[in-house]
Amino acid sequence: MKVLILKTKEEACEWVANHLILAIKEFKPTPEKKFLVLGLPTGSTPVPVYEKLVKAYQNNEISFKNVVTFNMDEYLGLAPTHNQSYHYFMDENLFNHIDLPKSQIHILDGLASNPQQECVDYEEKIASFGGIDIQLGGIGENGHLAFNEPGTSFDSLTHVQQLTDNTIEVNSRFFEKKSDVPQKALTIGLQTIFNAKEVIVLALGEKKAEAVYKSVRGEVSYLCPASMIQNHSNGIFVVDEAAALKLS
Ligand code: GLP
């Protein structure tokens, strides 16, 4: 695992965006591998990264025609049209502005009639594309990745996750009131994430400093899901100086 500390939030987002832009540019489809498979996060952290991807598309630098995406998670019970659903977030911040065909976008369905089956199908779908090539993630203040809360097993696959009070509290800033935040979510598992050929975790700001410290310097423990990145041969933590505060 590598840790890349960049001075500002802007520089950290730029590094991640450029990394993805390069991967998209360099990808050449073959009959055996038709698509570059990206795992994508939501949250406020990746927003500037998505803005830069949209710009690169608008400047004719890249096309998403040979890209397939799998989002990390979705709130259970929220319709895709709900303005706090991750479907809505992705449409607003990325998908509505690029040439990625709808058929190549995958997001867990928060309204699935059988959520467990939805999770099994999602894993199969990921496998059918040969797994995730580049998994990008943000990190929760409690060290969660996607919605894998502390305590989630390292061999977890896509599953229904009960959210912790801390996550509900932190994410309530996007809702009118805390009681509007769904208690459960569908999320890819830690094994799903770390099966990716490359894992990039982007952490910005002082609020993430403790989680970054535990993930990078602490022991690899299910109490801090992101610490599992230490065992990934191609894992990289990209942080700004504020998030790296406790590393020095
Ligand atoms: C949510 C998402 C995570 C995200 C985290 C941090 O809980 N499920 O995938 O990493 O929020 O969000 P933010 O980037 O807004 O700090």
Side-chain angles (χ1 to χ4, degrees), residues 41-46 72-73 86 138-140 144 146-147 167 171 173-174 208:
T42 54
S44 47
T45 305
M72 293 181 111
D73 45 15
Y86 288 169
I139 185 171
H144 75 219
F147 269 131
T167 296
N171 288 4
R173 70 191 191 278
F174 299 114
K208 301 292 171 70

Side-chain angles (χ1 to χ4, degrees), residues 211-222:
V212 169
Y213 177 78
K214 282 189 181 151
S215 305
V216 171
R217 293 277 166 77
E219 61 177 298
V220 178
S221 159
Y222 62 89

Side-chain angles (χ1 to χ4, degrees), residues 74-123:
E74 177 59 287
Y75 287 112
L76 189 63
L78 292 197
T81 49
H82 189 289
N83 66 6
Q84 287 312 323
S85 76
Y86 288 169
H87 275 81
Y88 187 91
F89 173 98
M90 290 307 298
D91 284 345
E92 288 287 298
N93 288 287
L94 185 64
F95 298 148
N96 284 348
H97 315 290
I98 57 174
D99 64 342
L100 177 63
K102 289 261 177 277
S103 59
Q104 287 160 221
I105 295 170
H106 303 91
I107 309 185
L108 286 153
D109 181 2
L111 291 186
S113 54
N114 183 341
Q116 273 77 19
Q117 190 58 48
E118 173 73 5
C119 295
V120 171
D121 294 347
Y122 205 65
E123 282 291 332

Side-chain angles (χ1 to χ4, degrees), residues 174-195:
F174 299 114
F175 292 79
E176 228 168 79
K177 48 188 190 305
K178 190 176 166 187
S179 58
D180 288 343
V181 185
Q183 306 269 314
K184 288 183 181 175
L186 301 168
T187 181
I188 60 171
L190 290 171
Q191 189 175 309
T192 323
I193 293 171
F194 289 104
N195 270 348

